[in-house]
Amino acid sequence: MDYDLVIRNGTVIDGTRLPRFRADVGIKDGRVKKIGRIGKVSAGRELDAKGCVVAPGFVDLHTHYDAQIHWDPYCTISGWHGVTSIVLGNCGFGFAPVKPADRERCLLMMTRTEQIPYESMKQGMKWRWESFPEWLDNLQRLPKGVNIVSYVPVSPLMVYVMGLEAAKSRPATPAERKEMQRLLNEAMDAGACGFSLQRLGKNSVQADVDGTPMPTDTMADEDILALAEVLRDRDEGFIQITQAETGDPAHEEDDVRGRDHRFLERLAEVAQRPILHNIVVALDDQPDFHAKELAWVHDCNARGLRIYGQGVNVRTWFNFTLEHWNLYDSSPAWNRATQGSVEEKLQMLSDPETRKQMRDEYAMLLSIGHGSIPENLTIVKAPGYPELAKYVGRRIGDIAAEMGVHPNDAMLDIAVAGGLKVEFRTDPATSSNPELVGPLMCDPYVIPGVSDGGAHTKFFTGGSFTTDFLTWLVRDTGKISLEEAHYHLSYLPAQAAGFTDRGYLREGAPADVIVYDLANLKRTPEWEFEVVTDFPAGEWRRIQRAEGYRWTIVNGQITFEDGKCTGATPGVLLRNRQIGTQAFSAAAGR
């Protein structure tokens, strides 16, 4: 046949900011063979895209599907929302390198810090690796409905070389630092795209299962810079970092951010490679926050420091109960009180001395901004406790004023009375003002996302960010053009991540394509969450599906058609050393 697949009559947005145009797209052997007018030809299948947009698949740089990919080849919810390529191993968290004796402890880490269900990991992820190259080989073997790239997560790397206790309590010795460099080189040789870490200080908002900081949270500057030297010497790879020294009352916020910025600048100077800085977000209560961050990012790039901001655009909130919530860990008292079983939590959350400490540390609650602190929470439901129904739909701040108590105590009184089953809702994680979010998402140094897909699955659904971007900022408010949207959702993240032959539609490029009806595109449900029990071991999660995506195509094969999975698994592991070859092949095809 001339083509395996022909997409006819669509409006092509190629991802490069080129103005839209009407064309057919022909696909053969997993690649785009022709974009233009395609006459009568032989094809395995023809798709009528009249009235639809034909664009490159989305690239999600910030996910935690490292476990879920083992039982869900499509990495949903991202795969439902037009994402065709994802990056694993973010924030320094992952499963390689890990010694067999440390596997259980690694699972427990991920259970707390990223809230991935323990039993799901135990049942759904079969360990067949120790080293990072073996981890990539494992990913290579898995059936995949999306393309995958992986960082080297620094937390397991530190533990592998130094041991858990040492990794959390001291800098690396010269010999340990050299060994970490060797292992990073080995991982890069095998195909890693760089390394990642979270450094949030001793009062980390994403702590370990025992309440202590994660290994990278207190990692020494020189140990991080030693890893950056590896990328500099190789002249390849990139770094994802969440750098925010929180919970230090001895310094004003601006001084803390200044120190964070100075370290990131030093990191960029040493690495001479792109840095993905998490996060840049527009906040209604701090309207100049993102403007200051953007001014700094622009200044860095003007000085030759390649720092990109990863921007939050998705309008979603966190729904949670204190049975599972961990994102108040920046407060030591909250951290201690939410450890252990439900019974242990009930006891600690009722303890007067613990509550006093919580009140004293109220300003340290730094999960997803001001909208997430107790006074701004709304009670969603109190299942099984009809006496608490009078509070449903009300904000904790109002209830506390009525009771004459601190908002922290009002929240805990209700939560404990409801057996920790009372469900709370934060304000949205970002501003809902398109006048703020639109310009942020258009910035040349901002990459949308931070979906956290695969993590915090009982709390929120950040993986719907692509759909919300197109419906809210493009269709409904007109703050961003389609051309600019697809540049930021596909081309820019692909190029920043180094897989330079993807993120655009061009003859010879891999055929990662989405076809969607913009007029009817939406998240379902749009604002609420659907709760499904579809994880191993009968675990549940919150999801948002999508409507309006007619076809999602990965490497030339349809993976979703009108929201229904086809069962095809054409995704590939994109190894760093092979990406250049893929790009060369694509260029040769052009």
Side-chain angles (χ1 to χ4, degrees):
M1 293 185 179
D2 300 311
Y3 298 94
D4 300 320
L5 194 63
V6 174
I7 306 168
R8 293 192 181 276
N9 307 314
T11 298
V12 173
I13 308 289
D14 75 354
T16 69
R17 289 191 176 125
L18 187 70
R20 68 195 72 182
F21 57 95
R22 290 284 299 274
D24 305 326
V25 178
I27 296 170
K28 179 71 173 177
D29 297 329
R31 292 185 176 271
V32 177
K33 183 178 178 181
K34 183 175 181 180
I35 301 175
R37 289 184 299 178
I38 299 176
K40 186 174 181 180
V41 295
S42 58
R45 185 176 176 187
E46 296 197 5
L47 310 177
D48 185 3
K50 185 177 181 179
C52 292
V53 173
V54 181
F58 301 129
V59 177
D60 189 349
L61 294 186
H62 194 109
T63 82
H64 294 279
Y65 289 116
D66 307 59
Q68 189 175 328
I69 185 67
H70 290 81
W71 63 81
D72 174 9
Y74 307 95
C75 295
T76 59
I77 65 172
S78 296
W80 294 332
H81 290 268
V83 171
T84 56
S85 297
I86 66 169
V87 180
L88 302 178
N90 276 272
C91 297
F93 309 146
F95 301 104
V98 174
K99 296 174 182 176
D102 293 331
R103 289 173 177 173
E104 181 72 9
R105 187 63 177 80
C106 183
L107 293 180
L108 291 172
M109 271 189 176
M110 297 297 278
T111 300
R112 177 75 180 189
T113 196
E114 293 296 348
Q115 285 290 303
I116 302 172
Y118 172 80
E119 291 298 337
S120 294
M121 290 189 287
K122 286 286 285 186
Q123 286 193 20
M125 189 174 71
K126 306 303 181 186
W127 290 84
R128 300 184 180 92
W129 65 89
E130 175 177 333
S131 69
F132 192 86
E134 290 170 344
W135 162 254
L136 292 183
D137 291 343
N138 166 69
L139 293 177
Q140 182 92 41
R141 291 189 295 266
L142 293 175
K144 294 172 287 294
V146 293
N147 303 309
I148 293 175
V149 177
S150 184
Y151 293 110
V152 177
V154 173
S155 179
L157 177 64
M158 294 176 70
V159 174
Y160 191 83
V161 173
M162 302 172 64
L164 181 60
E165 183 177 352
K168 290 192 174 194
S169 60
R170 62 169 175 81
T173 65
E176 289 167 340
R177 194 175 295 146
K178 186 175 182 179
E179 177 64 3
M180 285 193 286
Q181 289 179 314
R182 185 190 71 80
L183 290 173
L184 179 56
N185 266 306
E186 177 185 78
M188 295 295 293
D189 286 342
C193 63
F195 67 86
S196 70
L197 70 148
Q198 159 191 293
R199 196 162 68 154
L200 299 180
K202 64 181 181 179
N203 295 318
S204 174
V205 73
Q206 292 196 134
D208 197 354
V209 68
D210 60 359
T212 61
M214 293 292 284
T216 59
D217 279 326
T218 55
M219 189 177 183
D221 287 2
E222 295 308 315
D223 292 343
I224 301 173
L225 297 175
L227 298 178
E229 290 171 0
V230 172
L231 302 193
R232 179 198 63 201
D233 293 345
R234 301 176 66 96
D235 192 28
E236 63 182 0
F238 65 112
I239 301 167
Q240 180 270 326
I241 181 169
T242 305
Q243 168 75 27
E245 296 184 51
T246 60
D248 186 352
H251 298 276
E252 295 294 331
E253 180 182 349
D254 285 346
D255 183 49
V256 172
R257 294 306 295 157
R259 288 185 287 121
D260 289 336
H261 287 170
R262 286 192 292 274
F263 175 75
L264 291 172
E265 291 175 21
R266 188 179 175 198
L267 181 63
E269 287 173 348
V270 171
Q272 295 294 301
R273 299 297 304 165
I275 308 293
L276 300 183
H277 162 52
N278 287 186
I279 60 174
V280 181
V281 58
L283 301 171
D284 289 325
D285 60 315
Q286 300 179 56
D288 62 341
F289 174 79
H290 72 283
K292 290 180 179 179
E293 289 292 296
L294 288 182
W296 169 72
V297 168
H298 278 252
D299 180 65
C300 288
N301 280 275
R303 290 182 282 126
L305 304 175
R306 297 176 63 190
I307 298 177
Y308 295 89
Q310 289 206 276
V312 179
N313 71 274
V314 65
R315 296 173 299 165
T316 189
W317 42 59
F318 282 37
N319 276 25
F320 67 92
T321 71
L322 292 186
E323 184 178 6
H324 301 109
W325 185 242
N326 70 314
L327 293 181
Y328 286 164
D329 277 355
S330 53
S331 158
W334 266 100
N335 183 317
R336 291 192 302 272
T338 52
Q339 300 286 336
S341 66
V342 170
E343 292 73 20
E344 290 169 327
K345 292 176 184 177
L346 283 167
Q347 182 177 353
M348 287 292 291
L349 294 169
S350 302
D351 177 62
E353 181 57 32
T354 297
R355 288 197 179 192
K356 179 181 182 303
Q357 293 172 12
M358 289 176 167
R359 292 192 296 271
D360 292 343
E361 296 168 1
Y362 193 68
M364 297 174 67
L365 298 182
L366 302 169
S367 54
I368 56 170
H370 189 71
S372 69
I373 62 177
E375 66 193 68
N376 291 322
L377 300 178
T378 299
I379 297 177
V380 177
K381 59 184 177 181
Y385 294 88
E387 68 275 16
L388 301 178
K390 61 185 178 181
Y391 298 121
V392 172
R394 299 186 61 193
R395 291 173 77 87
I396 291 294
D398 296 332
I399 297 171
E402 186 178 277
M403 290 180 170
V405 300
H406 191 281
N408 208 87
D409 291 312
M411 176 190 183
L412 292 179
D413 285 344
I414 295 169
V416 169
L420 304 190
K421 300 292 185 182
V422 176
E423 189 168 303
F424 302 94
R425 173 175 293 165
T426 69
D427 284 343
T430 185
S431 171
S432 295
N433 182 355
E435 300 295 336
L436 295 179
V437 182
L440 172 62
M441 292 299 116
C442 280
D443 191 273
Y445 298 113
V446 171
I447 299 171
V450 200
S451 78
D452 255 6
H456 309 297
T457 54
K458 288 181 168 59
F459 301 157
F460 90 130
T461 56
S464 67
F465 79 93
T466 52
T467 303
D468 196 42
F469 192 112
L470 291 175
T471 56
W472 175 38
L473 297 175
V474 176
R475 182 190 67 198
D476 297 343
T477 65
K479 294 302 175 184
I480 301 177
S481 69
L482 270 176
E483 289 82 357
E484 191 72 23
H486 283 284
Y487 173 82
H488 279 269
L489 291 168
S490 300
Y491 185 84
L492 182 59
Q495 302 308 303
F499 37 107
T500 53
D501 62 338
R502 296 180 189 257
Y504 53 79
L505 294 184
R506 191 171 296 166
E507 291 176 3
D512 296 337
V513 186
I514 53 173
V515 181
Y516 64 91
D517 176 1
L518 181 60
N520 293 301
L521 193 66
K522 65 179 180 178
R523 301 181 294 180
T524 56
E526 179 64 38
W527 292 109
E528 297 300 325
F529 302 120
E530 180 183 352
V531 174
V532 296
T533 304
D534 64 352
F535 269 20
E539 283 284 359
W540 63 274
R541 61 172 174 154
R542 300 182 193 276
I543 65 168
Q544 282 177 302
R545 302 181 194 271
E547 292 182 10
Y549 291 102
R550 297 297 317 280
W551 297 281
T552 300
I553 300 165
V554 177
N555 295 310
Q557 296 187 42
I558 299 172
T559 55
F560 287 95
E561 183 166 2
D562 290 326
K564 295 182 179 179
C565 183
T566 66
T569 53
V572 297
L573 172 67
L574 299 174
R575 295 179 186 259
N576 182 55
R577 281 301 178 94
Q578 297 175 358
I579 290 170
T581 303
Q582 293 167 346
F584 176 81
S585 298
R590 293 194 294 272

